[in-house]
């Protein structure tokens, strides 16, 4: 249901933040206390846990969310159409993980997430609340068919799926290597300079460049990533470090905005570095053009910044 309209009626919020009339919140967002026993990594997993053991709350007929993405879509679908949701529980949770965490177990889930991202990006209405409502109305009844019959949507996922396959092959061949620093929860992803820039979706609207994020995230459990591609660098804190992730602890994010200024000052050319606010969903440290800083030096400087030294 329309999130804004739900403000005056008892409602359940899945994956977002509660409003004035919310009686139950099933969301992994930070700062939101989950109902006892229902905390999970994904909001969709919380919705399925609720189906297993419903929490007590006043009667409600409205399930809503303040944004659109794969996790929210799966979670809302579980509550409003539980029978097919439970029948395909693990596959649907995999779709939610593909959207939120950029991981997958079943390739159908990865491709379904690509389809949903493509459809979300194609919505051009300016008002985000209206876009969100329209996407849920359109895609809730289509979710299970999209997942189970994803091959019929090949024209929407084929190009990105090719980038995913190519990224996975490059990791297998070693032209994309991953060096982990467990003490810093850091993975250094080095892409051979002869490899092209590839990309993949994040959530319902973002793009991650360098290699397909699902290939990287499936290859490393580290939550901090530094992508090195020649003299082009990009650091990112994965989304798992923003939500209330429960499978394992994560290190606190480091505000790298001052570090970005130091890197800019150390460049011999006009390259400029920027860093996102650590409260963003997936803050990045990146730069324009090519850096004059050697990869080994950049890695050392970043490790020191993350270690607080």
């Amino acid at each position: 249901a329309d999130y804004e309209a739900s403000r005056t009626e008892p409602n359940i919020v899945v994956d977002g933040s509660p409003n004035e009339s919310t009686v139950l919140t099933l969301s992994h967002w930070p700062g939101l206390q989950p109902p006892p026993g229902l905390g999970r990594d994904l909001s969709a997993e919380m919705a399925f846990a609720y189906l297993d053991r419903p929490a007590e709350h006043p009667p409600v007929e409205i399930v809503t969310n303040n944004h659109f993405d794969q996790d929210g879509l799966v979670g809302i679908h579980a509550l409003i159409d539980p029978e097919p949701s439970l029948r395909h529980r693990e596959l649907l949770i995999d779709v939610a993980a593909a959207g939120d965490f950029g991981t997958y177990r079943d390739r159908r889930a990865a491709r379904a997430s690509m389809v949903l991202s493509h459809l979300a990006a194609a919505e051009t209405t300016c008002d985000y609340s209206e876009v969100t409502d329209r996407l849920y109305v359109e895609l809730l009844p289509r979710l299970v068919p999209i997942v189970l019959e994803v091959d019929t949507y090949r024209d929407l996922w084929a190009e990105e799926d090719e980038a995913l396959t190519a990224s996975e092959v490059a990791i297998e061949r070693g032209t994309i290597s991953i060096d982990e620093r467990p003490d810093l929860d850091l993975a250094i992803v080095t892409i051979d300079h002869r490899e092209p820039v590839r990309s993949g979706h994040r959530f319902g609207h973002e793009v991650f460049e360098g290699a397909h994020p699902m290939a990287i995230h499936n290859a490393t459990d580290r939550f901090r990533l530094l992508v090195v591609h020649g003299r082009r660098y990009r650091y990112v804190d994965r989304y798992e470090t923003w939500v209330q992730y429960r499978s394992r602890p994560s290190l606190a994010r480091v505000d790298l905005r001052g570090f970005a200024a130091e890197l800019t000052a150390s460049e011999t050319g006009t390259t400029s570095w920027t860093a996102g606010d650590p409260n963003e969903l997936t803050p990045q440290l990146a730069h324009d053009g090519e850096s004059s800083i050697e990869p080994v030096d950049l890695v050392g400087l970043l490790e020191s910044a993350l270690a607080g030294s």
Side-chain angles (χ1 to χ4, degrees):
D2 184 325
Y3 181 82
E4 293 303 318
S6 75
R7 292 182 181 277
T8 61
E9 300 291 337
N11 66 79
I12 296 175
V13 165
V14 179
D15 194 43
S17 55
N19 59 39
E20 299 90 328
S21 299
T22 300
V23 301
L24 178 69
T25 304
L26 301 173
S27 176
H28 61 176
W29 279 22
L32 299 178
Q33 183 65 34
L38 299 186
R40 300 290 190 278
D41 292 343
L42 290 159
S43 299
E45 291 178 298
M46 297 175 71
F48 278 107
Y50 168 84
L51 294 180
D52 294 336
R53 192 179 69 183
E56 292 186 5
H57 57 77
V60 61
E61 296 183 357
I62 297 174
V63 183
T64 190
N65 190 14
N66 62 350
H67 69 284
F68 177 85
D69 64 13
Q70 294 86 338
D71 190 26
L73 182 68
V74 170
I76 291 177
H77 190 280
L79 296 194
I80 68 173
D81 202 357
E83 184 177 343
S85 296
L86 287 167
R87 190 160 58 246
H88 305 291
R89 179 176 187 152
E90 293 308 313
L91 185 55
L92 289 173
I93 289 174
D94 205 15
V95 173
D100 260 18
F101 298 152
T103 62
Y104 76 93
R105 297 185 300 273
D106 189 313
R107 193 60 168 245
R108 290 177 297 173
R111 290 169 175 169
S113 183
M114 294 173 191
V115 171
L116 295 170
S117 178
H118 183 96
L119 294 173
E123 179 57 72
T124 57
T125 306
C126 293
D127 183 81
Y128 184 72
S129 177
E130 183 181 346
V131 169
T132 297
D133 299 337
R134 186 175 300 178
L135 286 169
Y136 279 120
V137 169
E138 176 189 349
L139 294 177
L140 279 166
R142 296 174 60 189
L143 174 60
V144 172
I146 286 174
V147 176
L148 297 182
E149 303 164 20
V150 73
D151 282 352
T152 63
Y153 295 86
R154 179 178 293 273
D155 59 322
L156 300 185
W157 57 254
E159 183 177 354
E160 184 179 349
D161 188 73
E162 183 178 346
L164 173 55
T165 296
S167 297
E168 291 174 334
V169 169
I171 291 173
E172 292 173 2
R173 292 178 176 172
T175 52
I176 295 179
S177 63
I178 299 177
D179 182 19
E180 297 189 342
R181 306 285 201 273
D183 58 320
L184 295 175
D185 204 9
L186 174 67
I188 301 163
V189 182
T190 303
I191 304 173
D192 188 280
H193 70 278
R194 292 163 294 188
E195 287 283 339
V197 175
R198 300 186 178 95
S199 64
H201 77 279
R202 293 305 324 277
F203 312 109
H205 60 284
E206 294 184 4
V207 175
F208 180 91
E209 292 189 344
H212 198 290
M214 291 186 192
I216 297 175
H217 296 178
N218 270 11
T220 179
D221 292 329
R222 301 301 104 205
F223 286 165
R224 293 165 165 174
L225 302 177
L226 172 65
V227 179
V228 178
H229 195 176
R231 290 293 186 90
R232 296 179 182 272
Y233 312 113
R234 183 180 302 272
Y235 168 87
V236 62
D237 289 305
R238 287 171 57 167
Y239 186 56
E240 288 93 331
T241 62
W242 187 79
V243 301
Q244 298 183 71
Y245 194 80
R246 297 173 183 277
S247 291
R248 75 164 178 87
S250 60
L251 298 177
R253 289 177 169 183
V254 176
D255 189 339
L256 296 175
R257 288 174 289 190
F259 179 57
E262 294 173 9
L263 290 175
T264 298
S266 69
E267 294 281 357
T268 58
T270 59
T271 297
S272 177
W273 288 76
T274 58
D277 186 316
N279 293 314
E280 294 174 1
L281 300 185
T282 55
Q284 298 188 46
L285 169 74
H287 59 86
D288 54 10
E290 290 198 355
S291 173
S292 63
I293 303 171
E294 292 286 346
V296 65
D297 295 331
L298 189 279
V299 170
L301 291 169
L302 176 63
E303 289 178 337
S304 296
L306 293 176
S309 58

